Amino acid sequence: MANLLYTEYEEKIRPYIDLIDSLREQGLNKDLTLPSIAVIGDQSSGKSSVLEMLSEIALPRGTGIVTRCPLELKMKNGTKGSQWKGQLNYRDVSLLLNSPQDVEEEIKKAQIHLAGKTGISSELISLQVESPCVPDLTLIDLPGIIRVPTGNQPQDIGNMIKNLIQSYIGKEETIILVVISCNVDIATTEALKMAQEVDPKGDRTLGVLTKPDLIDRDTEKDILKIINNQMVPLRKGYMLIKCRGQHDLITNTPLANALKKEIAFFNDNVHFRPLLEKKLASFQHLSSRLTNELVLQIKKCLPGIQEKIGSKMNEIMKQLDKLGGAIPEDTKTKVHNLTSRILAYCDELIHLAMGEYKKDYPIDVKLHDFAREKFTEWYKKLDGVKIGLNENAAIMVKHHEKNSKGRELPGFTKYRIFEAIIREQIQELLEPSLEMLNEFSARVETTCNTLALQHFGSYPLLVGEIQIKIAEVCNKMERKAEEMLETNFKMEAMVYAPDEMYSYKLMEFQSRGQQKGNSSMTNSSLDPQAMVIHLHAYYQIAIDRLVQMVPMVLRYYLLQELSAQIKITLAQLLFHYKDVDALLQENDETSEKRRDLKDNLDRLTQARNLLMNY
């Protein structure tokens, strides 16, 4: 029967424990969260004693905060008669341990190295133990929760510890093992409160009650209420254990004897004896329970782990694709490589100029969105000027009539006044149009440089050369656009509109004047009020031209022509630049990032291959 159970264990339990340990050894925990059991408890709850009884090794003891770094305790059940083996790892230190007695001192040294003499650190200390006396189990011991700092401890050490604990127990893959002393009020247990915050239904939480030998007589029923889930219910429930007492520690009672004394204690207690039969008490049953819980959690999480590995691999391959492959050795291939990169950049810039966006484009790169915003402002400005003209046209007419008379007889000045007012109003719009041109040109240049950094950011010299060329093309296109705007405004000074168009617009404004009851607006052109309606009619025609002409000039020169010119200019850069090797000199940061991404991808690939059999 024993051999049958052992065979079943080796076939159904051990492989899953080994799988997660292998994934950890490969460093997969750097990429995603692996199933684990995190051990938490208030200070002096007996947390360290629980771990000692499970692992049969002595952990640091003393007053105050004893566990000051997360301790990953990986236990592996060795073959019968095999020697005890231990290994301690932290940062770049890897230390083989020859005896269980060496563990406590080496962990103390590691904590001082990572956290100083009084602080705490989130850096992990990993202890691997192999022995015939330990279960196949991995636990993560976290610092005990304190409320008030003592001695030279940082004033915010309580919050620091809670934040550290939160970073572990907040993950859905983690089973929370809450250690609670029987001689305290469970309702005031900080560790249990923290577990409830991240696991309100208690699906991932297992409570372990310690120190049943220290409770007052006739309070055993209160402990049984907790065990029976009648106080603070947990889906995984509670278990009761008895660690080595103070006398056992002073006399250095071996752990094996302590385990026997624990069984005897429960058998002798009429209240707790049934818990042994239900497998809710003793380290023997706790060890088996934890192993089974961990395996169930592993099985539950495996599909999600495989999915996350696939997502991570896709993400890394995209990043590698952005970085490009390793720089080729021969010049011909380098030229081909650089040509492909430049063409890809230019194609993206052309699509951007056409308003064809990728899904992940940030808003500050979407030039057409910016253009639409600026052109709307331009339309509103023209509309505002038109309203101003409508309100002040009569005043302008009277002013010009008074100040523009020469030798001519009355009645001969009207068209010249009309023309002068129109020219003044149109020319006032030249400066705002040039300001918009400058702002738009600056935005286009910034966007071109942003894309250049995305495509060539790992090649500092190449980026510098491309940005120089971008600036040259932007300045050239801006000058052309400026010349075109100035030419158009000069043409607008001619004051022209087709007769039919002007007549139609004039009739439209006259009709509005009649509807408003302003009959003077339909009188002879000798009347100043009649001149006003002529100004309104023509200015509307001019506005209709300007509201389209200025945006079209900007779009043509600063989007369409600019993107085409950049493509030609960069092609010339490639063929006229003598030292292509220098252009493709990659910075150290990019080379290191590519290496890290490839290492990460290799790690994920190995993990995926391991998981294919499960």
Side-chain angles (χ1 to χ4, degrees), residues 361-484:
Y361 267 152
I363 189 65
D364 58 340
V365 175
K366 295 180 177 180
L367 288 175
H368 273 266
D369 288 28
F370 178 76
R372 187 175 287 108
E373 179 185 328
K374 290 288 117 184
F375 298 159
T376 299
E377 291 176 8
W378 173 244
Y379 175 81
K380 289 179 179 178
K381 181 167 187 63
L382 295 182
D383 204 43
V385 173
K386 181 180 69 176
I387 294 171
L389 175 65
N390 293 347
E391 293 173 349
N392 301 311
I395 298 172
M396 295 177 191
V397 171
K398 290 178 181 179
H399 172 80
H400 277 275
E401 188 175 34
K402 179 180 178 181
N403 295 285
S404 302
K405 280 187 178 181
R407 61 185 180 84
E408 68 273 5
L409 295 173
F412 288 92
T413 62
K414 297 304 181 182
Y415 184 74
R416 184 156 51 82
I417 292 173
F418 168 84
E419 196 174 43
I421 293 174
I422 288 297
R423 284 174 177 165
E424 286 179 8
Q425 294 299 303
I426 296 297
Q427 289 307 308
E428 285 180 5
L429 295 172
L430 174 60
E431 191 62 32
S433 72
L434 295 178
E435 290 175 1
M436 184 169 66
L437 166 64
N438 293 333
E439 188 177 354
F440 193 66
S441 177
R443 182 61 171 266
V444 170
E445 184 173 352
T446 299
T447 300
C448 291
N449 287 332
T450 299
L451 285 182
L453 282 171
Q454 291 175 4
H455 281 262
F456 313 106
S458 54
Y459 308 108
L461 181 58
L462 179 59
V463 168
E465 292 291 333
I466 287 176
Q467 288 181 339
I468 290 172
K469 298 300 181 184
I470 288 171
E472 291 174 356
V473 174
C474 285
N475 288 335
K476 179 181 176 182
M477 292 298 107
E478 185 177 351
R479 285 195 301 272
K480 286 191 173 187
E482 185 176 341
E483 291 172 3
M484 178 64 78

Side-chain angles (χ1 to χ4, degrees), residues 278-406:
K278 297 177 182 179
K279 298 183 179 180
L280 295 177
S282 83
F283 275 99
Q284 177 187 350
H285 292 140
L286 175 63
S287 174
S288 176
R289 172 74 182 278
L290 289 175
T291 300
N292 287 327
E293 290 287 353
L294 182 57
V295 169
L296 288 173
Q297 187 73 351
I298 291 170
K299 289 180 178 179
K300 176 183 175 181
C301 293
L302 281 183
I305 291 174
Q306 290 174 318
E307 184 178 343
K308 288 176 183 177
I309 287 175
S311 298
K312 285 277 185 181
M313 290 178 70
N314 290 334
E315 181 183 330
I316 290 171
M317 285 188 283
K318 286 180 182 178
Q319 292 182 52
L320 283 171
D321 187 54
K322 285 184 179 180
L323 290 176
I327 300 174
E329 297 294 332
D330 62 291
T331 302
K332 184 178 180 181
T333 309
K334 284 181 180 179
V335 171
H336 176 74
N337 181 282
L338 183 53
T339 302
S340 299
R341 286 173 175 272
I342 288 175
L343 288 174
Y345 166 73
C346 292
D347 286 346
E348 184 170 357
L349 190 59
I350 289 170
H351 285 300
L352 191 64
M354 295 172 65
E356 298 174 0
Y357 301 142
K358 292 180 180 178
K359 289 182 180 179
D360 56 350
Y361 267 152
I363 189 65
D364 58 340
V365 175
K366 295 180 177 180
L367 288 175
H368 273 266
D369 288 28
F370 178 76
R372 187 175 287 108
E373 179 185 328
K374 290 288 117 184
F375 298 159
T376 299
E377 291 176 8
W378 173 244
Y379 175 81
K380 289 179 179 178
K381 181 167 187 63
L382 295 182
D383 204 43
V385 173
K386 181 180 69 176
I387 294 171
L389 175 65
N390 293 347
E391 293 173 349
N392 301 311
I395 298 172
M396 295 177 191
V397 171
K398 290 178 181 179
H399 172 80
H400 277 275
E401 188 175 34
K402 179 180 178 181
N403 295 285
S404 302
K405 280 187 178 181

Side-chain angles (χ1 to χ4, degrees), residues 7 41 57 61 121 138 146 157 186 198 215 238 285 294 355 361 380 383 394 423 427 505 521 543-544 561 603 607:
T7 301
I57 57 173
R61 285 181 171 274
S121 171
T138 298
I146 65 167
I157 194 166
I186 189 173
V198 297
I215 61 175
Y238 296 83
H285 292 140
L294 182 57
Y361 267 152
K380 289 179 179 178
D383 204 43
R423 284 174 177 165
Q427 289 307 308
K505 190 63 68 175
M521 296 193 76
I543 288 294
D544 289 344
E561 279 297 291
R603 181 167 63 243

Side-chain angles (χ1 to χ4, degrees), residues 15-30:
Y16 289 98
I17 303 292
D18 289 344
L19 171 66
I20 296 301
D21 285 342
S22 297
L23 294 176
R24 278 200 183 89
E25 288 171 6
Q26 291 177 358
L28 188 64
N29 52 315
K30 297 176 184 177

Side-chain angles (χ1 to χ4, degrees), residues 418 497-514 521-523 525 529-541:
F418 168 84
D499 293 345
E500 292 79 2
M501 178 185 292
Y502 180 73
S503 298
Y504 177 81
K505 190 63 68 175
L506 183 62
M507 290 175 61
E508 182 182 325
F509 275 85
Q510 286 174 338
S511 175
R512 291 180 189 175
Q514 289 174 344
M521 296 193 76
T522 62
N523 292 339
S525 62
Q529 290 298 327
M531 175 66 77
V532 170
I533 197 169
H534 282 274
L535 289 170
H536 290 172
Y538 182 83
Y539 193 69
Q540 184 62 57
I541 293 172

